[in-house]
Amino acid sequence: MLKKISLQYLCIVILFFVGCHNEPYEGEIIIEDNSCLLAMQATADAAVNFSSATENNYSVLCQVYRGALEDQIEICGDEDGSLQTLVDVLGTCVLDEDLCEEAITATEIAQEDYENATDDTLEDFCNAYVDALEYQIEVCGDDGTLQAIIDDIGDCAPVFLDLVGNWRLISWLNDQGIDIDNDGEVTFDYLEEIDCYDNETITFNGDGTGLFFYRSIAEITYTPTGPEGEDFFVDCTNISETIAFTWTQNGNTVAITFTDGTTINHFRNADSLFVVVNGGFTATSTVDGTSTIVEPVTYVYEKY
């Protein structure tokens, strides 16, 4: 990561240029083979190079700039002490690493919060991440990578897809992990381990009507294998069923009403549509045929 000089030093350089180019030099100018003018030009050139310093060349360019200032003082004088002030602020030309490292750490934390944000917190965490990136650029510099991230993020305003169109079921989520495919690893997205429900869709029409398309159904059973274990078995059957509904949307809530008058609220979360189904996952024991494992499942749809 390239690290440019801090804002403090950039201000120093800017102040120097204002003094050199917008106002006459008020110190005693000794014209001896144009030595003073040459010294002033050398200082200006060194200031330009120093303003673009990186971590790798900061110390060298800083020392060159400081040396040019000292030469100008010796050759031209420094009646108002402004050049010596620049020399004093440059100090030993050692880059303050701690400030930059702290900025990098803050950016990493802000990035993690942003990537794990929910719909309710996304905009706030996004703005915090952008602020952290901008501060890192200020104290560490940037080779264009950080600014590209900021440009890609944009204004942090959430963008939502139009509800009208086709949506496909992509997940059954639950915070209770289950090892459905009996590979020794639990899953919190049940559809990852169920070879079924891979083409269940919803169509929302612009006139407030819609259709659910059901193309498969799974019969799930289990056999207990011990005090806290079981093996699951999934039998998927292809079907073809459509169910009509009407819908209205109020903010992030989508009310779906079926022909029998039943209304189920679905919710928008950024670009996802989800609904919690109590008993969405049900497995029946192969031993007695009546014992069941029942879990609520959050159905998640995405537009396609």
Side-chain angles (χ1 to χ4, degrees):
M1 175 65 67
L2 298 179
K3 301 180 179 178
K4 293 184 181 177
I5 59 175
S6 68
L7 183 61
Q8 176 186 21
Y9 292 133
L10 287 175
C11 291
I12 292 171
V13 174
I14 292 171
L15 288 172
F16 173 79
F17 279 131
V18 170
C20 284
H21 297 291
N22 295 338
E23 297 180 2
Y25 176 69
E26 296 178 354
E28 180 183 0
I29 300 179
I30 304 172
I31 301 178
E32 180 179 345
D33 299 326
N34 293 324
S35 58
C36 180
L37 294 177
L38 292 174
M40 293 174 64
Q41 183 60 52
T43 301
D45 292 340
V48 170
N49 293 332
F50 181 57
S51 68
S52 299
T54 68
E55 179 188 14
N56 294 330
N57 61 18
Y58 174 90
S59 181
V60 172
L61 294 180
C62 176
Q63 292 177 47
V64 171
Y65 180 35
R66 187 186 62 191
L69 287 166
E70 291 172 340
D71 290 342
Q72 183 177 335
I73 292 172
E74 181 178 350
I75 296 171
C76 303
D78 185 23
E79 187 173 284
D80 63 359
S82 60
L83 300 181
Q84 186 59 50
T85 298
L86 292 175
V87 172
D88 293 341
V89 174
L90 291 173
T92 61
C93 287
V94 176
L95 184 64
D96 184 356
E97 298 285 351
D98 292 340
L99 194 62
C100 182
E101 292 300 327
E102 290 174 0
I104 292 173
T105 299
T107 299
E108 291 172 348
I109 294 173
Q111 179 182 2
E112 183 176 356
D113 290 340
Y114 169 61
E115 291 175 347
N116 294 304
T118 64
D119 184 41
D120 293 334
T121 61
L122 180 62
E123 188 170 0
D124 289 339
F125 280 130
C126 176
N127 285 314
Y129 182 34
V130 170
D131 289 343
L133 287 165
E134 290 176 339
Y135 180 66
Q136 183 178 336
I137 291 174
E138 178 181 318
V139 299
C140 301
D142 183 25
D143 61 0
T145 303
L146 301 181
Q147 186 59 51
I149 296 174
I150 293 173
D151 294 341
D152 185 60
I153 290 174
D155 62 4
C156 287
V159 178
F160 298 105
L161 294 174
D162 183 10
L163 186 66
V164 174
N166 300 312
W167 297 71
R168 177 178 286 113
L169 179 67
I170 61 168
S171 294
W172 279 8
L173 301 180
N174 190 316
D175 58 5
Q176 177 65 47
I178 297 179
D179 179 17
I180 300 174
D181 63 359
N182 310 310
D183 65 353
E185 297 182 4
V186 300
T187 180
F188 300 95
D189 182 352
Y190 294 176
L191 285 192
E192 291 181 348
E193 299 188 355
I194 296 177
D195 188 18
C196 204
Y197 304 117
D198 57 358
N199 194 27
E200 312 302 301
T201 62
I202 310 175
T203 296
F204 291 93
N205 299 316
D207 62 359
T209 63
L211 290 171
F212 276 92
F213 294 91
Y214 299 107
R215 298 179 173 92
S216 58
I217 188 170
E219 180 182 355
I220 305 174
T221 57
Y222 73 94
T223 300
T225 58
E228 298 180 358
E230 54 274 319
D231 285 338
F232 287 92
F233 308 93
V234 179
D235 183 16
C236 186
T237 302
N238 292 328
I239 62 174
S240 180
E241 182 178 355
T242 59
I243 296 181
F245 62 85
T246 58
W247 64 274
T248 58
Q249 183 172 2
N250 182 14
N252 286 333
T253 301
V254 180
I256 293 179
T257 302
F258 298 97
T259 55
D260 64 357
T262 302
T263 297
I264 299 178
N265 288 329
H266 291 59
F267 300 94
R268 293 290 300 273
N269 182 3
D271 293 334
S272 298
L273 182 69
F274 67 95
V275 60
V276 177
V277 179
N278 291 323
F281 176 87
T282 301
T284 304
S285 171
T286 59
V287 176
D288 58 23
T290 57
S291 299
T292 57
I293 296 175
V294 180
E295 292 290 341
V297 174
T298 299
Y299 285 33
V300 182
Y301 296 83
E302 68 175 7
K303 197 171 185 180
Y304 69 98

